Amino acid sequence: MKPLHFFLLLSLAFLTFSFSIYLQPAIEAPAGSTDTALAAQGRLVWQKYNCQSCHQLYGLGGYLGPDLTNVYSAPGKGEAYIRAFLKAGVAPMPVFDLPEEEAAQLAAFLKAADASGSASPRDFIILPTGMTKRK
Ligand code: HEC
């Protein structure tokens, strides 16, 4: 194969793949997403206490503690569980004795994060195009 043909073949493959990506439907926030003003304040609380240094959201963050994307809806967990962890702490996690207002904002933030999607790779399938789709 001549270099020019090879170049044209690669260009065509590139254009076809780029075009196919633009044919994918736009990603929309799942129904029931609760990104309210309270949750937006909770995001600031999350940042203020640097929870991300030890925890991940959507798999990104520090790896000392577990991913918290879906801690709100996980069986046996939820808001009371989150609050208990903040109040009591555990050996590697310091006690965060937050004022009630901040605790409620933080809980709303984790609720909104939970409603926005899933962090577990097991919840997704990989399509032949290389894109992922929720099961
Ligand atoms: C210094 C690291 C560190 C910081 C900072 C930290 N955590 Fe943790 N957290 C941990 C570790 C480690 C665990 C796991 C403890 C265990 O299961 O024994 C944990 C567990 C948790 C759990 C229970 C998760 C589960 O699925 O069981 C919640 C909820 C939680 N943390 C919330 C928070 C929030 C909210 C903040 C910020 C205010 C925060 N953490 C800051 C280290 C940290």
Side-chain angles (χ1 to χ4, degrees), residues 29-36 111-117:
S33 175
T34 51
D35 201 4
T36 58
K111 187 178 180 188
D114 180 55
S116 73

Side-chain angles (χ1 to χ4, degrees), residues 100-125:
E100 168 54 31
E101 194 189 7
E102 285 188 338
Q105 291 165 343
L106 194 54
F109 170 63
L110 288 174
K111 187 178 180 188
D114 180 55
S116 73
S118 169
S120 173
R122 291 189 187 89
D123 291 345
F124 297 89
I125 47 171

Side-chain angles (χ1 to χ4, degrees), residues 28-91:
E28 286 169 20
S33 175
T34 51
D35 201 4
T36 58
L38 197 63
Q41 288 161 341
R43 182 174 291 115
L44 298 180
V45 177
W46 173 266
Q47 287 167 357
K48 178 176 166 191
Y49 296 103
N50 214 0
C51 310
Q52 192 96 18
S53 64
C54 295
H55 291 283
Q56 311 98 61
L57 285 177
Y58 312 109
L60 295 175
Y63 289 101
L64 190 61
D67 189 301
L68 296 184
T69 317
N70 302 118
V71 69
Y72 201 92
S73 67
K77 300 188 179 174
E79 183 158 346
Y81 180 88
I82 295 166
R83 282 170 177 261
F85 256 92
L86 290 173
K87 271 226 155 17
V90 272

Side-chain angles (χ1 to χ4, degrees), residues 21-29:
I21 285 179
Y22 283 103
L23 290 181
Q24 303 284 327
I27 298 171
E28 286 169 20

